[in-house]
Amino acid sequence: MLEDGRISGRQFTTLIFLIIVSITVLQVPPLLLGLAGQDSVLAVLIAVIIDGVVAAVLYFLGLRYPRKTFIQYSEDILGKIPGKFAAVIFIQFFLLVAALSIRGMSDFLVTIMPETPLTVFIIAFTLVSAFVARGGIESLARMSEIIAPVYIAAIVFLMALLLPEMDFSRVLPLFRYGAKPVIMASLLPASWFGICIIMAMFMAYHHRPEKTFTVKMTGVVMGASVLLLLLIACIAVLGVEYASMLSYPVYILARQISLADFIERVEVIWVAVWLLAGFITISSLHYVSALGTAQLFGLREYRPLVLPLGIMLASFSFLIYPNAMSGVKFILQIFPFYALSIEGGLTTLLFLIALVKLLTNKLGKERRR
Amino acid sequence: MSQKKKIIIMFLAALLLYLHAGCWSRREINELAFVMALGIDSLDGGKLYKVSVQTANTKTFAKEGSGSTEEKSFAVYTATGATPAEAVRNLSQQLPRRLLLSHCRLVLISENLAKSGVEPVLDFLQRNREVRETVWVLVAKGQADVLLEQEFDMEDIPADTLSRLIKLGEETSRGYAATKRDFLYKLTTARIDPVAASVEVLPDVAREGKPGVQLGGLAVFRADKLAGWLDAKETRGFLWVTGEAAAGSIVLDSPLVPGKVTFEFLRVQSRVTPQVRDGRVVILLDVETQGDLGDLAEPWVSRGQDNSGGGMEELIKEVERGVQETIEDEILAALHRVQREYKADIFGFGDAIHRRLPNEWRKIEERWDEIYPSLEIHIKVSANLRSSGQTCHYRHR
C-alpha cells in the first residue's frame, strides 16, 4: 500500500471544511457579489446542492470500488489507457487548484506586505506543504482536527464583534433579477466547492467508508455556512456595490471592527486562522497530487514525488497568470467551466459508465441462468 | 542521534537567531512621521492636487509636563502632484521621515476639489492599505491646507480638536460625519448620494491668538460632486430622517407657560417605508422621539403653588405637539433644499424603494433622476414627553 493511514469521520469533516473556508472565502465573495448581488446567498445554497450531487456520485463509486482512490478505479471503469488518461486529468486539476491557491494566497499577502516579493510567499507555502505532504494523510488529518475549531472560534468572535456595524436592511431585495442569473452565478461557488472531489481520494482511507457521504456533506455545509455568514456580513456592513469593488472584502470587513475604541485592528486574527486553513488546503492538494501520480504509475512510494511536484507547483503558481487583475478574469470566466467540467462532467461520466457496467453484469448473470 | 546530526541541528538553530533580530521592512518610531490629518486641495482648476499632512511632533510628547510650549506639537507639510498618490509621494522631498497614514484621523477635502469631484481622492484612500476605513471624510470650507495649519485651543494637535468636535457634534445631533466606509458605501451605491460634515474656522472667536473652529452644516454631494450645503436646521432635518439624531434639545414657545420650554430628546427612531399609492411610489416617513423637559421658564414664580397636577395633561400635549411641529418643520426644510434644489438623494429613498419594492424600482430606475425631485413624502412625527426631569414643578398660566 502506498498509504497505510486511516482517518476518522471527524477528521474527514474538518479537512473538507478547511478546504472550503480557505481559498473560497478569499476568492469568491467579491466576484459573487458582483455577479448576483443580494442573491449571492441563494447562489451559495444552490452550489451546495450541486456539490451534494457530485458527492453522491463519488460516494457511489467509492462504495463500488472499496479502498481504491478514483485514480485507481477510473482504470477499472474505463479500461487501461482511457483510465490513465482520466487519472492524468484529475491529477493536473489538483495541481492547478493547488497552484491557484498558492498564488491567490500570495497575491493577498503581497497587498498587505507589498515590499516582500511574491517569490518568498510562493516558495514558503510550497516548502511547508511539501513537508506536510510527506507526512502522509494521518498527520494532515490530525492537523485539520486542531485547526478547524480555532478557525470556527475566530469566525464566531469576529462576527460577534461586527454585529454593531451591520445594517441588515441591506440584505434585501432578494430575487431581483429572477432565477437565471442566480443559477449562473452559483457556478462560481460550485466550482470552488467542487474541489471537494478530493473526497474521492480521502474516501479510500476513511475508516468507515459507508459514512463518507454524511461526514463529507457535514464539512461542506459547515464551510458553506461560514461563506454565507461572511457574505451576509459583507452586504450588511459594506453594501453590495462597495464590497464587490474591493479585492479582499473579508479582510476589509475584519478591519471594520471597533468596539468601544478598545478592541480594534483585529484583522490579523482573521489572517492568521485563514492562513492556517489555506495551509491545510495547499498541503492536501499537494499530497493527493503526489499520491495520485504514484498510483498512476504504480509506484511503491509517493514521497520521492513530493519535492519535484513542489517545484512544479511553485513555478506553475508564477506562470498561471501575469498579475492579480488577470487572475480575477481567469477565476471568473475560465475556471468555473474548466473546474465543473472535471468535477461534475468527468465524475458523472465515470459514474454512468460504472452504472452501465454494473447493470450489464447483472443482466449477463441473469441471462446465463 | 549521531554526533554529526547534532552539530548540523545546532548550526541551523544558530542560523535562526539572525531572523530574530527583527523584521525585514521594520520601521522604527524615530524614522516615521505620524500623519494625524490629511488635507487635499485642487490647484490649477483641478489639474494638480495639493496634499498637506499634519504630522505629530513626537519630540514634544517626550517632554510632557515641562510646560514649555515653544516648540509646536505638530507640523504641516505640503506637496503637489498630478494625482493624489503622486502628491503624497512628493512629500518625501521635504519631509525627512517616512509617512505613516495608519493613525490618520480625518481627511479634509477642500471646497473647490469637492465641487469638481472627489472620486480620485476616495479611490486613492481605498487603494492605500494604511488608511483605515474609520477615517472621517470632511469638507473644509475654504482651503484644506490653510485649515490644517491652524492651531486651536485645548488639544495640542488640531486633528484631535477636530475629531473631538466631530464626536461631540454627533452626540448632540449637530452634525453627521461620514467615515471613509460610509462615504464609499454611498458613493458606490447608485441609489444613495453621500454627505460629509464640514469644518470651518471662526477667526472672530479667537482666544489667545488661536481662532475657534466649528463643525458646520452638512456638505451634500450628488454622486461625487459637492452640490451644496445644509444649514444647522436642515442638517438636523437630515438627522431626523436617517435616524442618526442622538440627543439634543428643541426650544418651544408655549402659550401655557410664560416663558420658553426646552425639550431634551434622548431617543430617536425613524422608518422609511416606500408604498405604491394610485400607481405612484410615495415614501412614508415615521419619526419617533422620546425626551424629558430640559427647562421651563419661570416655574417658581409663586411658591407653594398648585402642585396637584392640574393642567399637566395640557402642558404635556402642548409640548409634544410643539416638538412634532418643530421636527416636521426641520425635516421639510431639509427635504425642500435637498430634493428641489440639490436634487441629491442623500436620504437613500431610492435605495429604500429598491429594497422593499424591487419590482417598482425596476420600472422607475431609469427615470429616477426626474421622479426624485417631485417624490411625495408623507411625514408622521410622534413625540413622547417622558418626564419632567429632577423636579415636578411647573406653572400653569
Side-chain angles (χ1 to χ4, degrees), chain A residues 70-82:
Chain A
F70 63 176
I71 305 294
Q72 292 163 316
Y73 61 62
S74 55
E75 252 175 75
D76 296 349
I77 294 171
L78 296 174
K80 195 151 190 193
I81 301 299

Side-chain angles (χ1 to χ4, degrees), chain A residues 165 169 176 242 255-256, chain B residues 126 131 181 355 362 365:
Chain A
E165 311 286 329
S169 64
R176 192 185 154 201
Y242 184 22
R255 271 171 60 149
Q256 305 308 311
Chain B
Q126 185 55 54
V131 181
R181 185 180 94 206
R355 278 177 208 162
R362 214 174 327 168
E365 194 176 357

Side-chain angles (χ1 to χ4, degrees), chain B residues 191-261:
Chain B
R191 306 167 298 272
I192 313 179
D193 285 312
V195 288
S198 68
V199 182
E200 58 186 325
V201 178
L202 306 170
D204 305 340
V205 282
R207 196 177 292 120
E208 288 173 24
K210 296 170 184 170
V213 61
Q214 79 166 18
L215 199 59
L218 283 179
V220 176
F221 285 80
R222 195 154 189 268
D224 76 325
K225 290 183 178 64
L226 180 66
W229 309 93
L230 296 186
D231 63 19
K233 184 180 168 189
E234 293 155 355
T235 299
R236 205 158 72 175
F238 169 82
L239 298 178
W240 292 121
V241 177
T242 51
E244 300 282 351
S249 53
I250 292 173
V251 179
L252 300 167
D253 278 313
S254 169
L256 292 176
V257 286
K260 288 184 192 268
V261 182

